[in-house]
Amino acid sequence: MAKNMQEKFWDSLWTNAQICTAENGYGLIHAGAIAVKNGKFSWIGKMKELPGNPHDLAINVHDLCDKTITPGFIDCHTHLIYGGNRAKEFELRLQGVTYEEIAKQGGGIQSTVTATRNMSHEELLQQSLLRVKALMQTGVTTIEIKSGYGLDWETEAKILQVAAMLENDLPITVKKTFLGAHSVPKEFKQDSDKYVDLICEAMIPRIAKEKLANAVDVFCEKIAFSLPQTKRIFATAIQYGLAVKCHAEQLSDSGAAKLAASFHALSVDHLEYLSVEGVHALAESGTVAVLLPAAFYFLREKKLPPIDLLRQLHVPMALASDCNPGTSPTTSMLLVLNMACTLFSLTPEEALLGVTIHAAKALGIQQTHGSISIDKTADFAIWDVTHPAELAYYVGYNPLCSLIKEGKFVNLF
Ligand code: DI6
Ligand code: FE
């Protein structure tokens, strides 16, 4: 059945497609067509229900010869603006030194902070552009970018300004999150509460005033911020009209997910050590569980997030790259799909929803993005596969043919 049709002329029409709408599961439409007008989906249905000859209906007509269309992927958790890399630390970890030990010795996040502070806007932009382009080449049309490698006002602002520059330079939607509470900077090592004062009294008010980000995230963990500190930062974020997100239960169970749920967080992310109580709290608040299988893989974690219980209690599960130099140096959403299935036992269908509609929900943009639905933004990817499960199945093979942002073909460079 045609889902809608009133316009006489569309800007573009894609015909002979298999459409995975991501509405109610895969939401497959075989032998389908999609029309776009003014950057939005304006008709979705079966070819045989098209109200006329394709060339009479749209200015541009593209025959897809049975290729598969999915919504553009949404990478809802990245830290992709940073300086340098951490290959040396990777070598150390392979010799048995743990991530926490490296962090305690002043390596880890701190070393990336030093490199990031020393870079200009332009240098950061050039390095980050490469990572964003690589993500786009795996079907991504929307990303979230967190600050957090500055840990002082100047550098945190620089990162968020570079995020805005990326959105200007590329056909991609960028949602910005302030993660000043990523690590306690060395200047405040003796008194982390003083740094939390700075975050709450100076940084968050300025982030809100200058509209540098629309969400605030906290890394709640023994090596980062405590539960009471996290609570204080969340309360301040809400007071300034910013959404809340949380790096929760990545290395231990601190109760951060439950706390974040009590603030109606958009998402809680990582979750390897999430408790039964935590899952129930997420189910009640409608908070999205963001799983980051590439970080799990790269840290060679053993503890799995409680997938069965999340599934049983219908907590929406999103997937993201966590693109960052310390725990997830990847720029492939296809690899993330595969790892979610092989490492976390998600079904390929759950994985696909995890990078589309559930990822949109994790960013609070599910009304306009994340599925192929009338009046939503026409962001989609065209794949040379016969079934969307193939997107999670291949390991390192990329079947992307074209990417469409707001109804227009993206130059994939
Ligand atoms: N958890 C992570 O996996 C990243 N940040 C966080 O809070 C890692 C950041 C890094 O090691 O540079
Ligand atoms: Fe992260």
Side-chain angles (χ1 to χ4, degrees):
M1 264 276 285
K3 294 211 173 153
N4 186 5
M5 155 70 218
Q6 282 330 318
E7 329 272 9
K8 209 166 179 197
F9 283 104
W10 297 311
D11 297 334
S12 298
L13 178 64
W14 282 264
T15 60
N16 294 311
Q18 163 163 251
I19 307 164
C20 166
T21 61
E23 292 269 305
N24 301 314
Y26 281 138
L28 287 180
I29 300 172
H30 299 282
I34 282 184
V36 171
K37 190 174 175 72
N38 297 331
K40 304 235 167 89
F41 294 117
S42 58
W43 194 92
I44 304 154
K46 287 210 173 271
M47 283 293 291
K48 61 176 193 253
E49 288 162 358
L50 268 174
N53 184 320
H55 289 276
D56 296 334
L57 296 167
I59 301 162
N60 305 296
V61 178
H62 312 280
D63 183 341
L64 288 186
C65 308
D66 283 334
K67 291 192 183 65
T68 296
I69 290 179
T70 66
F73 291 168
I74 297 174
D75 190 353
C76 65
H77 179 143
T78 85
H79 312 242
L80 62 77
I81 300 177
Y82 59 81
N85 71 69
R86 304 243 289 276
K88 285 258 149 39
E89 179 183 314
F90 177 55
E91 286 186 311
L92 282 175
R93 282 200 301 101
L94 290 172
Q95 287 157 23
V97 189
T98 68
Y99 179 73
E100 280 120 315
E101 282 162 355
I102 291 167
K104 280 195 196 123
Q105 289 158 18
I109 295 177
Q110 289 299 340
S111 66
T112 302
V113 168
T114 306
T116 308
R117 285 180 179 177
N118 288 332
M119 283 174 76
S120 67
H121 281 74
E122 191 53 35
E123 286 167 330
L124 269 181
L125 177 65
Q126 290 315 323
Q127 292 203 0
S128 310
L129 264 172
L130 298 174
R131 294 189 270 270
V132 178
K133 286 180 181 176
L135 278 166
M136 290 168 73
Q137 284 161 356
T138 64
V140 173
T141 50
T142 297
I143 46 171
E144 185 252 22
I145 300 179
K146 300 173 196 296
S147 66
Y149 288 122
L151 311 182
D152 60 25
W153 171 257
E154 203 191 347
T155 318
E156 288 294 303
K158 178 170 72 183
I159 293 168
L160 294 170
Q161 285 153 358
V162 170
M165 290 158 86
L166 285 167
E167 189 170 32
N168 261 333
D169 288 3
L170 294 169
I172 190 160
T173 301
V174 178
K175 301 298 284 183
K176 301 183 279 301
T177 300
F178 172 63
L179 177 59
H182 193 193
S183 179
V184 179
K186 59 180 188 306
E187 300 81 1
F188 291 87
K189 265 284 166 306
Q190 301 315 315
D191 193 355
S192 61
D193 280 333
K194 277 243 158 53
Y195 181 56
V196 176
D197 288 345
L198 185 70
I199 289 176
C200 293
E201 289 161 20
M203 291 184 169
I204 291 179
R206 206 161 159 195
I207 291 285
K209 184 158 172 266
E210 298 180 20
K211 295 193 169 35
L212 284 171
N214 71 316
V216 170
D217 194 341
V218 178
F219 186 19
C220 183
E221 191 59 63
K222 284 182 208 125
I223 54 168
F225 295 86
S226 69
L227 205 58
Q229 290 173 330
T230 303
K231 187 173 178 183
R232 209 180 134 205
I233 296 169
F234 285 167
T236 309
I238 299 285
Q239 189 191 331
Y240 282 90
L242 299 168
V244 162
K245 294 170 95 56
C246 191
H247 278 69
E249 344 296 16
Q250 179 182 8
L251 308 168
S252 61
D253 176 20
S254 64
K258 191 176 170 199
L259 175 74
S262 77
F263 281 92
H264 299 285
L266 284 175
S267 74
V268 290
D269 306 38
H270 283 288
L271 306 176
E272 280 79 352
Y273 288 81
L274 180 62
S275 66
V276 170
E277 200 187 344
V279 182
H280 281 273
L282 299 184
E284 273 155 39
S285 66
T287 298
V288 177
V290 178
L291 306 172
L292 305 166
F296 175 95
Y297 161 83
F298 194 71
L299 288 178
R300 306 208 289 176
E301 266 288 350
K302 297 280 180 298
K303 178 98 172 70
L304 286 163
I307 303 294
D308 285 342
L309 193 59
L310 288 165
R311 189 183 278 136
Q312 216 176 305
L313 297 188
H314 305 291
V315 176
M317 292 184 276
L319 296 170
S321 71
D322 196 17
C323 176
N324 79 72
T327 65
S328 191
T330 185
T331 49
S332 171
M333 283 305 272
L334 290 166
L335 205 53
V336 170
L337 284 173
N338 177 263
M339 287 180 175
C341 299
T342 53
L343 300 174
F344 290 174
S345 304
L346 262 65
T347 64
E349 186 175 39
E350 286 172 329
L352 195 279
L353 300 181
V355 298
T356 55
I357 191 65
H358 292 160
K361 187 152 195 266
L363 298 179
I365 57 170
Q366 71 275 22
Q367 302 303 331
T368 50
H369 294 76
S371 65
I372 296 180
S373 170
I374 297 296
D375 286 336
K376 279 198 179 183
T377 304
D379 291 353
F380 58 97
I382 301 169
W383 307 93
D384 194 3
V385 298
T386 55
H387 191 277
E390 285 173 58
L391 300 175
Y393 155 76
Y394 292 115
V395 189
Y397 170 66
N398 186 347
L400 184 70
C401 296
S402 306
L403 195 62
I404 283 83
K405 180 72 187 165
E406 293 171 12
K408 298 207 171 77
F409 280 92
V410 171
N411 171 5
L412 284 170
F413 336 101

